[in-house]
Amino acid sequence: ISEGINLIQAIVDVISSNGWLKPALAAMELSQMVVQGLWNKDNILLQIPHFTKEIIERCENHDGEEPIESVFDILSLEDDVRNDLLRLPEHKMADVAVFCNSYPNIDVGFKVQDADDVTAGDPVEVIITLERDIDEEDMDEDELNQLGIVSAPLYPKEKRENCWLVIGDTKNNTLYSLKRVSLQRTQKVKLEFMAPEEAGDYNLTLFCMSDSYLDCDQEYQVPLSVAVADSDSGEDDNDESSSGED
Protein backbone atom coordinates (compact mmCIF):
# COMPACT_ATOMS: atom_id res chain seq x y z
CA ILE A 1 0.00 0.00 0.00
CA SER A 2 2.82 2.41 0.84
CA GLU A 3 4.28 1.85 -2.63
CA GLY A 4 0.84 2.67 -4.01
CA ILE A 5 1.04 6.08 -2.33
CA ASN A 6 4.39 6.73 -4.03
CA LEU A 7 2.82 5.73 -7.35
CA ILE A 8 -0.12 8.09 -6.81
CA GLN A 9 2.29 10.94 -6.05
CA ALA A 10 4.10 10.21 -9.32
CA ILE A 11 0.76 10.16 -11.15
CA VAL A 12 -0.07 13.58 -9.70
CA ASP A 13 3.27 14.90 -10.93
CA VAL A 14 2.70 13.55 -14.46
CA ILE A 15 -0.85 14.92 -14.62
CA SER A 16 0.23 18.32 -13.34
CA SER A 17 3.03 18.53 -15.90
CA ASN A 18 0.29 18.36 -18.53
CA GLY A 19 -1.67 21.13 -16.83
CA TRP A 20 -4.79 19.05 -16.13
CA LEU A 21 -6.58 20.25 -12.99
CA LYS A 22 -9.50 17.89 -12.39
CA PRO A 23 -7.57 14.63 -12.94
CA ALA A 24 -4.87 15.89 -10.55
CA LEU A 25 -7.44 16.64 -7.84
CA ALA A 26 -9.00 13.20 -8.38
CA ALA A 27 -5.61 11.51 -7.92
CA MET A 28 -5.08 13.47 -4.68
CA GLU A 29 -8.44 12.26 -3.39
CA LEU A 30 -7.42 8.71 -4.31
CA SER A 31 -4.37 9.11 -2.04
CA GLN A 32 -6.67 10.03 0.85
CA MET A 33 -8.84 6.98 0.22
CA VAL A 34 -5.87 4.60 0.10
CA VAL A 35 -4.39 5.91 3.36
CA GLN A 36 -7.69 5.75 5.27
CA GLY A 37 -9.00 2.59 3.60
CA LEU A 38 -12.28 4.23 2.59
CA TRP A 39 -14.09 5.29 -0.56
CA ASN A 40 -15.00 8.95 -0.84
CA LYS A 41 -18.66 7.88 -0.93
CA ASP A 42 -18.34 6.34 2.56
CA ASN A 43 -19.36 8.29 5.63
CA ILE A 44 -16.49 10.58 6.59
CA LEU A 45 -16.77 9.61 10.26
CA LEU A 46 -15.63 6.07 9.45
CA GLN A 47 -12.10 7.48 9.33
CA ILE A 48 -12.21 7.74 13.12
CA PRO A 49 -10.92 4.59 14.89
CA HIS A 50 -13.61 2.25 16.30
CA PHE A 51 -16.45 4.17 14.64
CA THR A 52 -19.14 1.78 13.44
CA LYS A 53 -22.35 2.19 11.50
CA GLU A 54 -24.21 2.01 14.81
CA ILE A 55 -22.22 4.93 16.26
CA ILE A 56 -22.73 6.95 13.09
CA GLU A 57 -26.46 6.22 13.20
CA ARG A 58 -26.62 7.56 16.77
CA CYS A 59 -24.74 10.68 15.62
CA GLU A 60 -27.14 11.17 12.72
CA ASN A 61 -30.15 10.80 15.02
CA HIS A 62 -28.73 13.11 17.69
CA ASP A 63 -31.16 15.92 18.43
CA GLY A 64 -28.68 18.75 18.78
CA GLU A 65 -28.53 22.30 17.53
CA GLU A 66 -26.22 21.29 14.67
CA PRO A 67 -25.93 18.01 12.75
CA ILE A 68 -22.91 15.80 13.44
CA GLU A 69 -21.32 15.30 10.04
CA SER A 70 -17.58 15.86 10.38
CA VAL A 71 -14.59 15.19 12.61
CA PHE A 72 -14.76 18.81 13.78
CA ASP A 73 -18.38 18.22 14.87
CA ILE A 74 -17.21 15.32 17.05
CA LEU A 75 -14.53 17.54 18.58
CA SER A 76 -17.03 20.29 19.40
CA LEU A 77 -19.37 18.02 21.39
CA GLU A 78 -19.61 18.25 25.15
CA ASP A 79 -17.81 15.35 26.82
CA ASP A 80 -20.97 13.78 28.26
CA VAL A 81 -22.78 14.00 24.91
CA ARG A 82 -19.81 12.51 23.06
CA ASN A 83 -19.47 9.69 25.57
CA ASP A 84 -23.16 8.85 25.26
CA LEU A 85 -23.00 8.77 21.47
CA LEU A 86 -19.78 6.76 21.16
CA ARG A 87 -20.19 4.39 24.14
CA LEU A 88 -16.59 3.22 23.84
CA PRO A 89 -14.26 1.96 26.58
CA GLU A 90 -11.52 4.27 27.79
CA HIS A 91 -8.68 2.78 25.70
CA LYS A 92 -10.72 3.13 22.52
CA MET A 93 -11.73 6.67 23.41
CA ALA A 94 -8.00 7.40 23.68
CA ASP A 95 -7.58 6.24 20.06
CA VAL A 96 -10.43 8.54 19.02
CA ALA A 97 -8.74 11.45 20.80
CA VAL A 98 -5.43 10.76 19.04
CA PHE A 99 -7.13 10.77 15.65
CA CYS A 100 -9.13 13.94 16.30
CA ASN A 101 -6.06 15.77 17.59
CA SER A 102 -4.08 14.66 14.51
CA TYR A 103 -6.82 15.62 12.05
CA PRO A 104 -5.58 18.73 10.19
CA ASN A 105 -7.20 22.03 11.07
CA ILE A 106 -5.17 24.39 8.91
CA ASP A 107 -5.54 28.15 8.59
CA VAL A 108 -4.67 29.18 5.04
CA GLY A 109 -3.75 32.69 3.93
CA PHE A 110 -2.48 33.90 0.58
CA LYS A 111 -1.40 37.01 -1.28
CA VAL A 112 -0.74 37.59 -4.97
CA GLN A 113 2.51 39.55 -5.23
CA ASP A 114 2.17 42.83 -7.21
CA ALA A 115 -1.44 41.93 -7.95
CA ASP A 116 -2.06 45.30 -9.61
CA ASP A 117 0.83 44.86 -12.00
CA VAL A 118 0.21 41.45 -13.62
CA THR A 119 0.56 41.42 -17.39
CA ALA A 120 -0.16 38.72 -19.95
CA GLY A 121 2.47 35.99 -20.13
CA ASP A 122 4.52 37.33 -17.19
CA PRO A 123 5.46 35.38 -14.03
CA VAL A 124 3.00 35.48 -11.13
CA GLU A 125 3.96 34.77 -7.52
CA VAL A 126 1.47 33.74 -4.83
CA ILE A 127 2.68 33.62 -1.22
CA ILE A 128 0.74 31.11 0.88
CA THR A 129 0.89 30.87 4.66
CA LEU A 130 -0.17 27.70 6.46
CA GLU A 131 -0.70 27.48 10.20
CA ARG A 132 -1.98 24.49 12.12
CA ASP A 133 -4.73 25.59 14.51
CA ILE A 134 -3.58 24.06 17.79
CA ASP A 135 -3.47 25.11 21.43
CA GLU A 136 0.19 24.55 22.25
CA GLU A 137 -0.38 25.40 25.92
CA ASP A 138 -2.56 22.29 26.28
CA MET A 139 -0.02 19.99 24.57
CA ASP A 140 3.09 18.42 26.07
CA GLU A 141 6.38 18.06 24.20
CA ASP A 142 5.63 14.52 23.01
CA GLU A 143 2.29 15.60 21.55
CA LEU A 144 3.94 18.51 19.74
CA ASN A 145 6.55 16.16 18.31
CA GLN A 146 3.77 13.91 17.03
CA LEU A 147 2.28 16.69 14.92
CA GLY A 148 2.21 15.67 11.30
CA ILE A 149 2.12 11.92 11.94
CA VAL A 150 -0.98 10.53 10.28
CA SER A 151 -3.55 8.63 12.32
CA ALA A 152 -4.62 5.84 9.96
CA PRO A 153 -5.31 2.48 11.66
CA LEU A 154 -5.46 0.57 8.36
CA TYR A 155 -2.22 1.98 6.93
CA PRO A 156 0.64 -0.53 7.37
CA LYS A 157 3.37 1.85 8.60
CA GLU A 158 3.96 5.30 10.03
CA LYS A 159 3.25 8.09 7.57
CA ARG A 160 3.98 11.79 7.63
CA GLU A 161 1.16 14.07 6.56
CA ASN A 162 1.63 16.17 3.43
CA CYS A 163 -0.62 18.47 1.51
CA TRP A 164 -0.74 19.63 -2.08
CA LEU A 165 -1.13 23.33 -2.77
CA VAL A 166 -2.67 23.84 -6.19
CA ILE A 167 -3.65 26.89 -8.21
CA GLY A 168 -5.88 26.29 -11.17
CA ASP A 169 -8.77 27.48 -13.29
CA THR A 170 -11.81 25.24 -12.80
CA LYS A 171 -13.57 26.85 -15.74
CA ASN A 172 -11.15 25.54 -18.34
CA ASN A 173 -9.62 22.67 -16.29
CA THR A 174 -6.15 24.25 -16.26
CA LEU A 175 -3.60 23.60 -13.52
CA TYR A 176 -1.17 26.51 -13.22
CA SER A 177 1.00 25.56 -10.25
CA LEU A 178 1.42 22.77 -7.71
CA LYS A 179 3.64 22.05 -4.72
CA ARG A 180 3.55 19.25 -2.14
CA VAL A 181 4.56 20.35 1.36
CA SER A 182 4.91 18.82 4.80
CA LEU A 183 3.42 20.86 7.62
CA GLN A 184 3.92 20.60 11.37
CA ARG A 185 3.02 24.01 12.80
CA THR A 186 3.56 26.90 10.38
CA GLN A 187 4.96 27.31 6.92
CA LYS A 188 5.24 29.87 4.15
CA VAL A 189 5.16 28.62 0.55
CA LYS A 190 5.64 30.38 -2.78
CA LEU A 191 3.79 29.21 -5.88
CA GLU A 192 4.83 30.56 -9.26
CA PHE A 193 3.20 30.34 -12.67
CA MET A 194 2.90 32.24 -15.92
CA ALA A 195 -0.07 34.57 -16.29
CA PRO A 196 -2.52 33.70 -19.08
CA GLU A 197 -1.56 34.97 -22.52
CA GLU A 198 -4.86 36.81 -22.94
CA ALA A 199 -5.56 39.93 -20.89
CA GLY A 200 -8.69 39.93 -18.76
CA ASP A 201 -10.12 39.09 -15.35
CA TYR A 202 -9.65 35.52 -14.16
CA ASN A 203 -11.16 33.72 -11.18
CA LEU A 204 -8.56 31.14 -10.19
CA THR A 205 -8.84 28.74 -7.25
CA LEU A 206 -6.31 27.83 -4.59
CA PHE A 207 -6.73 24.26 -3.33
CA CYS A 208 -5.19 22.88 -0.15
CA MET A 209 -5.47 19.09 -0.52
CA SER A 210 -4.48 16.59 2.16
CA ASP A 211 -2.74 13.42 1.01
CA SER A 212 -3.97 11.43 4.02
CA TYR A 213 -7.36 12.56 5.34
CA LEU A 214 -10.77 12.90 3.75
CA ASP A 215 -13.05 15.92 4.09
CA CYS A 216 -10.45 18.43 5.26
CA ASP A 217 -9.58 19.96 1.87
CA GLN A 218 -9.96 23.70 1.43
CA GLU A 219 -10.36 25.96 -1.55
CA TYR A 220 -10.22 29.72 -1.99
CA GLN A 221 -11.02 32.05 -4.85
CA VAL A 222 -7.98 33.89 -6.24
CA PRO A 223 -9.09 36.79 -8.48
CA LEU A 224 -6.43 37.76 -10.99
CA SER A 225 -6.59 40.78 -13.30
CA VAL A 226 -4.20 40.40 -16.24
CA ALA A 227 -3.26 43.53 -18.16
CA VAL A 228 -2.16 43.71 -21.78
CA ALA A 229 1.57 43.18 -22.09
CA ASP A 230 3.65 46.25 -23.04
CA SER A 231 4.72 44.72 -26.33
CA ASP A 232 1.10 44.10 -27.24
CA SER A 233 0.24 47.70 -26.43
CA GLY A 234 3.12 48.86 -28.59
CA GLU A 235 1.94 46.75 -31.50
CA ASP A 236 -1.55 48.19 -31.15
CA ASP A 237 -0.16 51.73 -31.19
CA ASN A 238 1.92 50.98 -34.28
CA ASP A 239 -1.10 49.52 -36.02
CA GLU A 240 -3.09 52.69 -35.28
CA SER A 241 -0.24 54.88 -36.54
CA SER A 242 0.02 52.90 -39.75
CA SER A 243 -3.71 53.17 -40.28
CA GLY A 244 -3.51 56.93 -39.83
CA GLU A 245 -0.72 57.24 -42.42
CA ASP A 246 -2.78 55.30 -44.95
Side-chain angles (χ1 to χ4, degrees):
I1 293 178
S2 58
E3 291 303 318
I5 293 298
N6 293 333
L7 178 59
I8 291 172
Q9 292 172 357
I11 290 172
V12 171
D13 291 340
V14 171
I15 293 172
S16 64
S17 67
N18 286 279
W20 301 330
L21 177 61
K22 293 178 182 178
L25 297 177
M28 295 170 193
E29 292 176 350
L30 177 60
S31 176
Q32 302 168 3
M33 291 185 273
V34 170
V35 172
Q36 292 297 334
L38 292 172
W39 294 106
N40 57 2
K41 65 182 179 181
D42 293 330
N43 191 296
I44 295 302
L45 296 180
L46 287 173
Q47 293 179 100
I48 305 176
H50 313 302
F51 265 54
T52 62
K53 292 181 179 178
E54 290 75 17
I55 291 177
I56 291 174
E57 185 175 351
R58 288 199 292 270
C59 291
E60 291 175 342
N61 294 332
H62 175 62
D63 187 21
E65 294 182 2
E66 300 290 338
I68 303 173
E69 300 174 336
S70 71
V71 176
F72 297 120
D73 295 334
I74 296 295
L75 279 168
S76 65
L77 292 172
E78 296 292 337
D79 290 346
D80 57 338
V81 175
R82 183 166 50 244
N83 292 337
D84 181 59
L85 290 173
L86 274 55
R87 301 175 192 175
L88 293 172
E90 187 173 337
H91 70 281
K92 291 186 176 181
M93 286 295 287
D95 292 339
V96 172
V98 168
F99 178 92
C100 291
N101 290 332
S102 301
Y103 193 75
N105 185 9
I106 308 298
D107 293 328
V108 180
F110 67 91
K111 180 180 180 182
V112 180
Q113 297 291 83
D114 301 319
D116 296 330
D117 194 28
V118 176
T119 56
D122 281 352
V124 179
E125 291 185 1
V126 180
I127 305 299
I128 302 164
T129 56
L130 305 173
E131 183 174 1
R132 192 183 293 273
D133 189 2
I134 57 173
D135 190 350
E136 296 189 22
E137 294 182 357
D138 292 340
M139 301 176 69
D140 58 34
E141 186 174 349
D142 288 339
E143 289 174 322
L144 290 172
N145 290 334
Q146 290 294 308
L147 285 175
I149 295 179
V150 175
S151 177
L154 299 179
Y155 197 71
K157 65 179 185 179
E158 181 177 287
K159 183 184 183 308
R160 281 281 173 182
E161 176 192 353
N162 296 284
C163 69
W164 283 285
L165 297 173
V166 184
I167 292 180
D169 189 336
T170 58
K171 186 176 181 180
N172 58 24
N173 191 31
T174 300
L175 190 154
Y176 284 108
S177 186
L178 174 147
K179 185 172 289 187
R180 187 165 66 94
V181 299
S182 176
L183 174 67
Q184 287 192 333
R185 301 186 199 181
T186 62
Q187 191 165 356
K188 182 175 289 187
V189 182
K190 179 169 68 175
L191 289 186
E192 299 177 285
F193 59 94
M194 303 304 291
E197 293 293 338
E198 293 186 11
D201 293 328
Y202 293 83
N203 193 22
L204 307 184
T205 304
L206 167 65
F207 298 89
C208 180
M209 304 286 294
S210 172
D211 74 340
S212 303
Y213 296 99
L214 294 112
D215 198 42
C216 63
D217 302 324
Q218 302 181 55
E219 57 182 80
Y220 300 88
Q221 298 303 307
V222 183
L224 186 69
S225 294
V226 179
V228 176
D230 292 340
S231 58
D232 294 340
S233 300
E235 290 174 3
D236 293 341
D237 292 342
N238 291 334
D239 290 342
E240 292 176 3
S241 300
S242 299
S243 299
E245 291 175 1
D246 292 341

